[in-house]
Amino acid sequence: MTAAQRRKLAAVFAAAGVALGAAACSSSADSGPGTGGGPLSYDRVRSTALDLVKNKSTSCPFGLDLAKATAAAGISGAVAPAVTDGRSVTGNAGDGVPAQPWPSGATHPPTMPEMPATPPNAQITCSYTVGPSTVDIDLLAVSKNDYGVSMMLPTIRGAGLLSLDQLTRFSTDRPAVGQTKLTPGQGTAAVSRISLHGEGDLVLMLSQNTSSGEPDQALAGEPLRKAAEALAGQIH
């Protein structure tokens, strides 16, 4: 990536109101059972993520069933957990990062003299095989409203195989709560925003894992978006 491209990428994240870096991982314990019931809230997602740090699992939480979602979207192929070291579901949580100076040379709005603070957040990833391909369900919960998509932009860019212009377009035309949108270009990722009880933001992304080869066209475009939409409707 050239220096000009790095500056443009920094500007995309500045406009989104978040820093490029993800929040630092936290090993602090939260109270409450990891997958307990109750309203779907930021605290419940975080508790579940921290439980997954400690305990191996091959079951995606919150009622998520990829086999049902792909069937509803007309996607064929057997669905199975992609198990590594006894788990196909992983969790992580960050305590947030305070506002700090921009990296040298980064372009930013004059009204934003520092990189904005990153709020506490929690991430869960469920990995599956669908036929010969691998797909991931990524959940990102953030403790403040309207931060989720912005904080997930680095992951969305990689999963969607997006150029800087495509990333900017998606960031500007991001899904509203209750919507699911496909990333531009090859359509290898779909992003949903899900309502939480109380303060916070929850984003679900369904994407191909293209790190080992070319995208599977059967798992791209509108069928992928429909599967992500079905997943968003399952979550509870």
Side-chain angles (χ1 to χ4, degrees):
M1 182 183 292
T2 66
Q5 287 175 321
R6 284 195 295 271
R7 287 193 296 271
K8 184 175 181 181
L9 184 59
V12 171
F13 286 91
V18 296
L20 269 170
C25 178
S26 168
S27 60
S28 59
D30 284 25
S31 60
T35 55
L40 183 66
S41 64
Y42 167 75
D43 287 341
R44 184 177 164 210
V45 178
R46 182 180 176 90
S47 176
T48 302
L50 288 171
D51 183 71
L52 289 166
V53 173
K54 298 180 292 184
N55 300 307
K56 295 180 180 181
S57 177
T58 57
S59 298
C60 207
F62 310 121
L64 289 169
D65 188 327
L66 183 61
K68 288 184 178 179
T70 54
I75 296 173
S76 60
V79 177
V83 180
T84 302
D85 190 29
R87 71 172 75 206
S88 61
V89 185
T90 58
N92 192 9
D95 290 330
V97 177
Q100 53 192 299
W102 289 98
S104 178
T107 302
H108 60 84
T111 56
M112 194 180 295
E114 293 182 305
M115 291 194 298
T118 302
N121 59 89
Q123 306 104 40
I124 295 170
T125 299
C126 307
S127 298
Y128 292 89
T129 55
V130 180
S133 302
T134 303
V135 300
D136 294 324
I137 302 171
D138 288 295
L139 291 168
L140 174 65
V142 185
S143 63
K144 293 189 178 296
N145 294 338
D146 301 324
Y147 270 74
V149 172
S150 293
M151 288 185 61
M152 195 182 260
L153 284 177
T155 306
I156 292 170
R157 187 193 184 202
L161 306 174
L162 303 182
S163 67
L164 294 181
D165 287 341
Q166 289 170 331
L167 181 67
T168 301
R169 188 161 78 247
F170 186 84
S171 176
T172 301
D173 190 28
R174 64 187 62 194
V177 175
Q179 286 186 324
T180 301
K181 290 192 174 183
L182 194 68
T183 53
Q186 298 186 61
T188 55
V191 180
S192 300
R193 288 184 63 199
I194 299 158
S195 178
L196 284 178
H197 180 77
E199 182 82 2
D201 199 12
L202 179 61
V203 178
L204 179 151
M205 182 176 71
L206 178 64
S207 64
Q208 292 191 44
N209 186 329
T210 57
S211 59
S212 59
E214 291 296 314
D216 183 345
Q217 296 305 311
L219 292 169
E222 184 62 11
L224 187 72
R225 191 201 67 79
K226 288 181 178 179
E229 188 172 60
L231 286 170
Q234 294 173 356
I235 198 166
H236 62 268

